[in-house]
Amino acid sequence: MTPVQLHTDITSLEQKAHQYFIKDNYSQAASYYEQAIEVEPEVKTHYWNLGLMLLLQGQETEAQMTWLLGMGEGEVQEVDQWTVELIQVLQTEAERRKTLADYKVAWAIRQHIREINPTDVNNLLYLIELAIKQETLIDDELTSLGVIELIQSEAIVDNQLLLQVLESILNYDPLHPAVPAFVEACLAHVHEPQSFINILLPATVKIAYSMRQSKLAALLLELGLRLEPENLAILRHLAAFYLKVNDYSKGIELAKLCYSLSNTLIDKIFAIHLLHRGLMDCPAFWEEACEVFQQQQNLMMLLLEEKPLNLSSEQVLHLFNSNYFAPYLQDNIQKNRYVQNQIASLCQINVENYASNEVQRYQQRTSKGRNSKLKIGYLSHCLSRHSVGWLARWLIQHHNREQFDMYGYFINYKQISDPLQEWYVPQFSQVYKGGIYSDDIAEKIYEDKIDILIDLDSITLDVTCEIMALKPAPVQVTWLGWDASGIPAVDYFIADPYVLPESAQEHYTEKIWRLPQTYIAVDGFEVGVPTLRRDSLDIPNDAVIYLSAQRGYKRHPDTARSQLKIIKEVPNSYFLIKGLADQEAVQKFFMQLAEEEGVGCDRLRFLPQDFSEAVHRANLAIADIVLDTFPYNGATTTLETFWMGIPLVTRVGEQFAARNSYTMMINAGITEGIAWTDEEYIEWGVRLGKDEVLRQQVALKLKASRQTAPLWNGKQFTREMEKAYEQMWQRYIEGK
């Protein structure tokens, strides 16, 4: 046989082997490679390919024997070269299998590469990625493979692959204990910090909010900060994470750093909003919080004068809830609503500019008609263990399924066990478990052809605001979560005859839709076993106990001073103080006020947070009177107080936040404790403290109201809401 004929025969054998290989006929392909070896035993690629064919048939031992046979008794240098060639053949097939989404086979091939070269860091990275794609990553693989140590060594790492695997790990198992070490190991290989940050930021947001692990999120972002110590996006989120884990000093420090590094009005406004948030949870810093608030108001007025129309989505999101704390500081419905409406309007204009295609498409709905049922969409990040979650459930539960088709749109769906969230999911005919971005959720609402979209968040979440501004539904309504957002794309704000004064409409861009009795009703609350006792708190059995259970935002000094005046006037009285805030700052705040008012600090008790809502409600029973906050009242806490049959003293104002307890008292049939001035607040507090008979009468009224009052009739309330939906839709049909 001439050399030309030999070459032709070998080429033919290889071509036939390859043709059968492509058709997944590995046994026939192996047969041709065996023939090629007989003809050219010195050509090593025949051995590598034959071994691969055997491996793909599940004959791993035979494959390894074939490769060893190919290695023969070559010199060390030759064996090294042949090993490189074999690995290249295996890598090529592993990459092809990955492209075909045949991850199991790709993973198996790379396991053999690992046996041949256990320190090939890039192969190990591929193995991790393939295990994630198959959802078979074992808990200890990130450490047992030794990949973190190899990344930290001087091994040559494919940086793009490294970032790809990092993103996969953070998406698949961000709470894995090896994640911080893996992230830290990546830092030395990051040549473009922004690519790394673009992966790390959304992952930490998910960790902090969907998984409620803000401490871990902060730890990971601190690593990102090493790459760019003055990156505003990192600093903003980091400040928010520290505030969320109650590390107020660190959060405030970072917020101040954000402000000092901010060059634009938008950046300054958001930085000062973060700073304000931290200060508001530390009542001892109230004076500074007021100064910062004034600075913020000045910045917002400058922005409104400038009226920029080219803001990005990120900037608009920062702006939407920048005026959030105004109602906590002042009961000024005219000023607070004016600023909120103007800011919301500016945001709306910019949303319409940068998302013009979506906005126009949503507006071009082909018909105002509907099927037999109205499609109602409920949009919120709070359909879980949150105040809104506890209160909205009765409306959802009592909805008439024959008349209404209900859809649930969960923003930032919690990736943890949450019994209340799990309760909500089956209540809806369809559920969308959204993330932290608005465009996909808005698109889903539009695709689902929702008739009326109910926003349960208002400005408590920027993502919700952006979705509402896009207007994916023809009729949009805000209910429950907060005061109205002022977003022009929202049509209605649900209220009642009491929670807003009669003249309120002039301050709202939304049409105020007043339900006939109450804007909220529940059937009741689950109550656990109490963990508080008077003797454990060193309080006499005959003492009068006052309680205030609100977070730091609501600790206005004027109200706190009034509360201490009440304690001073009622002999043998004690004041229990509890709520999410900087505990040390809260104690310092109240003890200083107590000293100024001549109240002994030994009459104050500071309580920790309870481990569950049910236990919190049970522990309310230790109080004889609950003292409400002002200018931002309680809402869920007020309802819980009344359900437990405890008298409450509230101060009524002009704004929505200052009238929550008022409408709840009226709808529970109680007027004792309603104060219209600071003086009346003190008078009612003292009177209820000194008059045990009056307290008992109020308690009996509250208990009796469970059977008769609108506040406790979730079913009737639902019928009123459904009637409102029908009327809203009819107005839309008529073009009103």
Side-chain angles (χ1 to χ4, degrees):
M1 184 179 295
T2 66
V4 173
Q5 289 175 322
L6 180 64
H7 176 74
T8 301
D9 288 344
I10 292 298
T11 302
S12 176
L13 290 171
E14 288 179 329
Q15 287 176 345
K16 289 177 180 178
H18 185 71
Q19 289 171 0
Y20 281 110
F21 164 63
I22 293 300
K23 295 176 181 177
D24 297 339
N25 190 337
Y26 307 125
S27 62
Q28 194 64 44
S31 175
Y32 282 108
Y33 280 124
E34 286 171 350
Q35 294 177 45
I37 290 173
E38 289 178 7
V39 177
E40 282 186 328
E42 73 281 1
V43 177
K44 302 301 180 181
T45 54
H46 301 330
Y47 294 90
W48 313 152
N49 285 316
L50 174 58
L52 177 60
M53 297 306 106
L54 294 170
L55 177 63
L56 293 174
Q57 294 178 78
Q59 301 175 39
E60 296 187 22
T61 302
E62 291 82 352
Q64 290 172 336
M65 292 293 292
T66 301
W67 293 329
L68 286 172
L69 182 64
M71 296 292 175
E73 296 182 0
E75 299 294 330
V76 173
Q77 189 173 358
E78 288 179 314
V79 171
D80 288 344
Q81 178 60 36
W82 294 338
T83 301
V84 171
E85 291 175 1
L86 170 58
I87 289 175
Q88 184 59 54
V89 169
L90 295 177
Q91 284 179 338
T92 300
E93 179 59 11
E95 289 168 8
R96 189 179 79 90
R97 293 289 173 170
K98 180 186 173 185
T99 303
L100 296 172
D102 191 352
Y103 303 127
K104 184 176 181 180
V105 172
W107 180 85
I109 293 171
R110 288 200 174 277
Q111 280 288 16
H112 282 278
I113 296 175
R114 180 191 169 202
E115 290 181 13
I116 298 168
N117 184 2
T119 61
D120 183 345
V121 64
N122 293 315
N123 184 61
L124 296 176
L125 289 171
Y126 277 121
L127 275 172
I128 292 170
E129 182 186 37
L130 290 166
I132 289 173
K133 287 184 179 297
Q134 298 176 84
E135 298 185 357
T136 58
L137 186 69
I138 301 171
D139 285 346
D140 67 344
E141 272 188 297
L142 282 180
T143 50
S144 64
L145 290 174
V147 69
I148 294 174
E149 291 77 11
L150 287 169
I151 295 171
Q152 291 171 328
S153 70
E154 296 182 0
I156 298 174
V157 180
D158 182 333
N159 292 335
Q160 185 175 352
L161 171 63
L162 181 63
L163 290 181
Q164 188 175 308
V165 173
L166 171 64
E167 186 170 18
S168 296
I169 292 170
L170 289 173
N171 285 332
Y172 178 71
D173 190 7
L175 302 186
H176 191 290
V179 161
F182 190 92
V183 173
E184 186 171 16
C186 292
L187 295 179
H189 300 275
V190 175
H191 302 309
E192 295 180 5
Q194 195 56 51
S195 299
F196 178 82
I197 292 166
N198 288 344
I199 292 170
L200 194 61
L201 267 179
T204 55
V205 169
K206 177 181 177 181
I207 291 167
Y209 300 112
S210 294
M211 299 180 167
R212 294 177 178 169
Q213 296 290 330
S214 297
K215 188 172 288 187
L216 173 61
L219 171 64
L220 295 178
L221 265 196
E222 287 281 8
L223 296 174
L225 206 59
R226 293 184 191 177
L227 296 176
E228 291 191 356
E230 296 187 352
N231 184 294
L232 277 178
I234 293 178
L235 289 169
R236 288 188 196 111
H237 285 290
L238 198 51
F241 295 161
Y242 277 118
L243 293 176
K244 194 166 180 64
V245 296
N246 306 331
D247 189 344
Y248 299 101
S249 59
K250 186 69 174 177
I252 289 170
E253 175 190 335
L254 287 169
K256 288 182 176 179
L257 177 58
C258 278
Y259 186 74
S260 69
L261 294 172
S262 298
N263 296 316
T264 68
L265 263 177
I266 290 289
D267 286 342
K268 288 180 179 179
I269 288 171
F270 188 62
I272 211 165
H273 169 72
L274 275 174
L275 174 58
H276 198 209
R277 175 180 160 190
L279 295 171
M280 288 290 289
D281 254 332
C282 302
F285 298 148
W286 194 271
E287 188 173 329
E288 184 179 354
C290 291
E291 293 172 1
V292 167
F293 174 68
Q294 190 55 56
Q295 292 175 8
Q296 183 194 47
Q297 295 290 294
N298 294 339
L299 289 171
M300 286 195 288
M301 294 311 293
L302 288 173
L303 186 72
L304 292 173
E305 289 176 14
E306 185 180 298
K307 201 174 183 179
L309 303 179
N310 59 346
L311 299 179
S312 66
S313 173
E314 182 182 12
Q315 290 173 318
V316 168
L317 286 170
H318 292 161
L319 190 57
F320 263 123
N321 55 11
S322 57
N323 196 48
Y324 178 81
F325 291 108
Y328 291 88
L329 292 161
Q330 59 187 16
D331 177 36
N332 189 329
I333 189 171
Q334 181 176 357
K335 184 176 181 180
N336 291 347
R337 290 306 316 167
Y338 172 79
V339 175
Q340 182 58 43
N341 293 341
Q342 292 297 310
I343 289 291
S345 177
L346 177 61
C347 290
Q348 174 86 55
I349 293 170
N350 277 277
V351 169
E352 292 172 354
N353 286 339
Y354 66 67
S356 57
N357 291 338
E358 290 81 1
V359 171
Q360 290 175 18
R361 186 158 50 86
Y362 296 162
Q363 289 175 346
Q364 293 170 355
R365 296 176 182 87
T366 56
S367 172
K368 291 184 179 180
R370 76 173 217 241
N371 296 323
S372 58
K373 295 181 182 180
L374 262 181
K375 285 187 177 182
I376 310 295
Y378 287 94
L379 172 71
S380 182
H381 75 295
C382 301
L383 298 176
S384 57
R385 285 182 57 189
H386 181 282
S387 290
V388 167
W390 290 113
L391 302 186
R393 57 187 171 148
W394 302 109
L395 171 64
I396 304 302
Q397 178 175 309
H398 291 306
H399 252 310
N400 183 342
R401 267 71 176 174
E402 295 180 1
Q403 187 179 0
F404 298 91
D405 201 1
M406 297 187 303
Y407 289 61
Y409 299 95
F410 292 71
I411 302 175
N412 203 14
Y413 186 84
K414 309 298 180 293
Q415 303 297 315
I416 59 172
S417 175
D418 187 310
L420 192 52
Q421 179 176 256
E422 292 162 12
W423 177 88
Y424 268 106
V425 170
Q427 303 300 317
F428 299 105
S429 58
Q430 291 193 40
V431 165
Y432 186 69
K433 300 175 182 179
I436 59 173
Y437 301 106
S438 59
D439 49 0
D440 61 319
I441 301 174
E443 187 65 22
K444 189 68 174 78
I445 293 167
Y446 174 71
E447 289 174 357
D448 289 339
K449 298 181 179 179
I450 295 301
D451 296 317
I452 301 177
L453 181 62
I454 313 299
D455 152 35
L456 301 176
D457 296 342
S458 187
I459 67 165
T460 62
L461 189 70
D462 48 13
V463 174
T464 307
C465 292
E466 188 174 37
I467 292 170
M468 298 303 285
L470 289 166
K471 196 148 192 181
V475 179
Q476 301 197 149
V477 183
T478 294
W479 171 66
L480 186 60
W482 203 77
D483 200 349
S485 65
I487 296 171
V490 177
D491 303 290
Y492 299 102
F493 176 55
I494 301 236
D496 62 35
Y498 313 103
V499 77
L500 285 174
E502 292 182 8
S503 60
Q505 185 61 70
E506 62 185 282
H507 305 301
Y508 284 79
T509 59
E510 303 90 342
K511 170 70 176 175
I512 298 174
W513 193 286
R514 295 184 191 263
L515 299 178
Q517 293 175 304
T518 177
Y519 85 94
I520 178 63
V522 299
D523 285 352
F525 294 98
E526 297 83 354
V527 180
V529 178
T531 58
L532 289 180
R533 290 175 54 89
R534 287 180 176 237
D535 53 5
S536 64
L537 294 172
D538 194 24
I539 295 177
N541 290 337
D542 60 346
V544 175
I545 294 181
Y546 291 89
L547 169 69
S548 178
Q550 297 290 353
R551 71 171 302 157
Y553 296 171
K554 300 183 180 182
R555 300 292 184 193
H556 196 290
D558 293 346
T559 305
R561 194 176 294 277
S562 294
Q563 291 168 343
L564 289 166
K565 288 180 185 294
I566 293 169
I567 304 301
K568 183 179 180 179
E569 290 297 316
V570 179
N572 195 27
S573 64
Y574 290 79
F575 191 22
L576 308 186
I577 300 155
K578 143 176 155 176
L580 184 62
D582 184 329
Q583 295 302 313
E584 185 178 339
V586 168
Q587 291 186 28
K588 180 180 177 182
F589 169 75
F590 273 102
M591 292 176 83
Q592 182 176 333
L593 283 180
E595 186 177 342
E596 292 173 6
E597 292 298 324
V599 175
C601 292
D602 59 341
R603 297 171 68 183
L604 308 182
R605 299 288 186 275
F606 299 95
L607 306 179
Q609 292 289 98
D610 295 305
F611 62 84
S612 75
E613 293 85 354
V615 171
H616 159 73
R617 294 168 197 136
N619 282 336
L620 290 175
I622 198 172
D624 296 298
I625 308 107
V626 168
L627 298 177
D628 198 10
T629 47
F630 180 86
Y632 206 113
N633 294 167
T636 306
T637 51
T638 297
L639 283 167
E640 291 169 330
T641 297
F642 292 159
W643 185 251
M644 296 303 296
I646 304 167
L648 178 137
V649 180
T650 190
R651 163 80 160 84
V652 187
E654 297 179 335
Q655 63 187 0
F656 177 87
R659 299 171 71 92
N660 257 311
S661 295
Y662 167 56
T663 187
M664 292 170 187
M665 291 181 82
I666 293 297
N667 280 290
I670 303 295
T671 57
E672 297 87 346
I674 297 175
W676 296 90
T677 64
D678 293 340
E679 292 73 22
E680 286 185 16
Y681 181 88
I682 296 170
E683 289 171 6
W684 270 117
V686 172
R687 183 178 171 188
L688 283 165
K690 290 183 175 180
D691 193 336
E692 183 178 359
V693 173
L694 178 61
R695 291 201 304 272
Q696 292 173 349
Q697 289 173 348
V698 174
L700 288 172
K701 279 187 182 181
L702 286 169
K703 288 177 181 177
S705 74
R706 288 187 179 189
Q707 309 302 319
T708 58
L711 194 64
W712 312 121
N713 193 338
K715 187 173 290 187
Q716 177 58 34
F717 169 73
T718 302
R719 298 292 84 81
E720 296 293 348
M721 286 285 278
E722 290 175 341
K723 183 179 178 182
Y725 293 164
E726 289 283 7
Q727 292 174 346
M728 289 173 185
W729 185 253
Q730 189 59 37
R731 283 173 174 252
Y732 169 70
I733 294 295
E734 295 171 357
K736 294 182 180 179

